[in-house]
Structure formats: C-alpha cells, structure tokens
Amino acid sequence: MSSSVKKYLQIILFATAGILMFWLAYRGQDVSSLISALDGAHWEYVLAAGVANVLSHYFRALRWDLLLSPLGYITKKSNLFLSVMVMYFANLAIPRSGEVVRCGIVNRYENVTFATALGTVAAERVADLVALAILTLWVLGVQAAFVGTILENNPEISANVGNIFGSLPILIIVFAFVIAFFVILCLLIVKKNIFGIGDKIKNLWSNFKAGLTAILKLENKFLFLFYTISIWFIYFFTLYLVFLAFDFTSHLSFFSAMTLSVLGTFGVVVPSPGGIGTWHFIAIEILYIWGINRNPDGGAYALVAHGVQDLTFIVVGVVSLWLLPFINKNGKHSLS
C-alpha cells in the first residue's frame, strides 16, 4: 500500500471518528432551538476569542525561538509563527501530524535540521505536559467533587476509566517491550553500522538530543516560563470570552474557564480531528453541572467555543501556507 493511500485512509478514518463523536454529542439536540441560541450570541466576544487564539500561538512561536537560539539558529519569527499555524491546520486533517509538518517547514525555510527541530518540539511538549499536570492536580484538588459529579452523571465514562486503569499495567509492559526492542535494534544497527545506517542514526539522535535538551541551555528561562504561562492563560481567556458571548454563561468565572479548559484538553487528545465530538461532549456535560441546559445552551456554547478555534486554524493556516513560499521567495525573507 502506497504512502499516499495510507495518508488518505488515515484522513478518512479520523474524520469518520470525529463525525461519529460529534453526532453522539449532539444527537439529542433540537436544531431549531440550537440555531435560536446561536442567534442570541454576542459575536464581538467570539471575534475577540479568535484574535486571542492567534496571539497564543504567536507566543508559542516566540517560545520555540528561545529553544532554537542556544543551538545556533537565528530564525525568522514570522516563519516560526506561520509554521505553528500550519501545524494546527494539519492536525485538523490527521491528528498529531502537525508537529512533523512544522519541523519540515523550518527545515526547508530556516535550514534547521529536522531532528533538531523535532527535539525542540518534544521539549515544548514536556513543558506543556508539566503545566497540564499541575493544572490537572489543581482541578482534582480544588474541584474533586465536581469531577466526581461528572463521573456519577456518566457511569459509562467511569467504567471506561476503570477499564483503562485496569489494563494500564499490561499496556505499560507492552510499551516498555516495544521501546526496548526498538532501542536494542537501533544499538545493533549503530554498532554494526549496517549499510551506513548506523552513522545516520547517530547523527539523527545527536541532533534530536540537542533539541530536546535545549531547554537546559536557555539564556532566559524566565522568559520561557512567561511564554508558557501566557499560552495557557490565553487558552483559558478565549473560553471565558465565549462565556461572555452568551447570556446563559456570562455569569461563569474565569476559574470556570480554567476548569473547562483543563478537562477539555483530555478530549482533544483523543484521535479525532481537533478533538471534534469528544471536546463538545465534555464541555456540554461540564456546563450541565453548572446549571446550563444541555439542549440548546450547552450545545450552542460548545459549538461556538470549539468552532472559533477550528475556524481560526483553517483560515490562518491556509493563509500561512500561501505566505510561506511568498515571503521566502528566492531565499529572501520580506517579514521580520
């Protein structure tokens, strides 16, 4: 099977999963009531949420630049920002493909080795995982009863969580075995330098390790921390702005937006395009616990909050794809 056929099959599979999950989240919604709820939205707040969403990804580009600088790369921030936006656009088609895409872009336009770029992206993910872990502990600690209510109202979720943790030891053993096999195979190839592949693996690992450990070489760790906090703060703020867009959610606080953002993140990690369906389901259930009707109010909020994000990714992502070759024409970069 050719790589192009596999790619299209992946797109179809993930798109089907997203559509199914979206249908499950909205199967009980009354369309006319949903449209009526959307008509009552204050769209200026939604527009502001879209702008804030783009700003958060500009901070992500600035943070990435901090990781590349100690490695000797002087990059154009506009190229980094555009590649980040293309990343999110690509993720809508094939989940988790965007990281590879953005590394390919900086490799092409900034001459950053692909393995090094991938290492810095991995370092970014580690920083974000630490932030998410801290925020999750906060949600579980401060609002444990709230999380318990979600599981109580949805016993199927509680059962699935139990099944996951029940099979976790087996999954860890299998994962460890696969990793060990892969490491041993690579070490054997490197030692024997089979067909010269060993030298290539050593070079790739050296570049990847340099990118991954770039965070230890940061000249301004405070600025890296500031960008990380800013990224997450803006994520919360965009959801809060959409709260203000509807009369039935305008009373909810910024801390409510934090809770929704943290718990909603676990819906995005499910392999559907951009968390379509899973994020909507989680958001609707959380809002219901806060006294917001599932139909149509919760459905309307989830549709707009997630929709403005995806629309931003599509519009800015397409524009970014057009701009990249244009501003880098003949190797000349016309934007700072």
Side-chain angles (χ1 to χ4, degrees):
M1 184 181 295
S2 66
S3 59
S4 60
V5 172
K6 290 181 180 179
K7 180 180 69 174
Y8 288 122
L9 285 177
Q10 280 183 312
I11 293 174
I12 293 172
L13 177 63
F14 291 133
T16 302
I19 292 171
L20 177 61
M21 292 174 184
F22 186 81
W23 176 80
L24 290 173
Y26 282 88
R27 67 188 185 280
Q29 295 279 341
D30 179 70
V31 177
S32 59
S33 298
L34 186 62
I35 293 175
S36 178
L38 292 173
D39 285 340
H42 304 287
W43 293 100
E44 63 274 16
Y45 287 110
V46 178
L47 178 61
V51 174
N53 189 34
V54 174
L55 179 61
S56 72
H57 301 309
Y58 181 68
F59 279 126
R60 184 173 291 279
L62 294 179
R63 186 179 68 172
W64 195 15
D65 183 55
L66 285 180
L67 290 174
L68 290 169
S69 294
L71 303 177
Y73 294 106
I74 308 301
T75 56
K76 304 293 184 182
K77 293 180 178 60
S78 52
N79 271 340
L80 297 183
F81 170 69
L82 295 176
S83 68
V84 166
M85 296 313 302
V86 173
M87 173 187 73
Y88 285 105
F89 179 54
N91 280 339
L92 290 177
I94 303 178
R96 306 296 170 262
S97 66
E99 284 80 357
V100 175
V101 171
R102 72 154 155 161
C103 290
I105 290 174
V106 296
N107 172 247
R108 177 178 180 180
Y109 294 116
E110 295 290 346
N111 294 319
V112 178
T113 64
F114 183 85
T116 301
L118 194 60
T120 56
V121 169
E124 276 194 312
R125 291 305 179 217
V126 170
D128 286 332
L129 281 173
V130 170
L132 179 60
I134 294 172
L135 291 167
T136 301
L137 289 174
W138 172 80
V139 169
L140 293 176
V142 176
Q143 305 204 42
F146 173 75
V147 176
T149 303
I150 295 178
L151 297 177
E152 183 180 340
N153 290 346
N154 298 275
E156 68 279 6
I157 295 180
S158 182
N160 289 335
V161 171
N163 291 334
I164 291 173
F165 280 100
S167 59
L168 195 58
I170 297 176
L171 292 175
I172 292 175
I173 292 172
V174 172
F175 181 74
F177 177 80
V178 172
I179 293 297
F181 174 79
F182 180 76
V183 170
I184 292 172
L185 180 61
C186 287
L187 289 174
L188 179 63
I189 294 175
V190 169
K191 183 178 180 180
K192 301 294 184 180
N193 196 22
I194 301 173
F195 301 118
I197 298 175
D199 290 336
K200 293 181 180 180
I201 291 177
K202 285 194 291 185
N203 185 51
L204 285 172
W205 170 247
S206 177
N207 289 331
F208 179 80
K209 186 172 66 173
L212 183 60
T213 58
I215 195 169
L216 302 176
K217 304 173 185 176
L218 286 173
E219 295 180 2
N220 195 334
K221 291 182 174 61
F222 175 79
L223 191 57
F224 183 88
L225 179 62
F226 170 76
Y227 287 147
T228 301
I229 293 174
S230 297
I231 290 167
W232 282 95
F233 175 84
I234 296 174
Y235 285 168
F236 307 149
F237 188 59
T238 55
L239 292 180
Y240 178 68
L241 285 172
V242 184
F243 280 164
L244 299 179
F246 294 99
D247 293 337
F248 50 79
T249 54
S250 60
H251 64 285
L252 295 176
S253 69
F254 180 81
F255 290 102
S256 297
M258 288 181 65
T259 301
L260 177 57
S261 180
V262 171
L263 296 180
T265 299
F266 294 97
V268 176
V269 299
V270 176
S272 67
I276 292 175
T278 52
W279 191 91
H280 294 80
F281 175 81
I282 292 174
I284 291 171
E285 290 303 310
I286 291 173
L287 290 174
Y288 178 71
I289 294 172
W290 287 330
I292 310 299
N293 294 326
R294 292 189 179 98
N295 181 13
D297 297 343
Y301 175 86
L303 199 62
V304 171
H306 196 275
V308 66
Q309 173 182 269
D310 286 350
L311 185 60
T312 300
F313 293 156
I314 293 171
V315 173
V316 183
V318 169
V319 172
S320 297
L321 279 173
W322 174 78
L323 277 177
L324 277 165
F326 177 76
I327 64 177
N328 291 284
K329 189 175 181 180
N330 298 324
K332 295 180 180 179
H333 196 291
S334 58
L335 297 179
S336 60

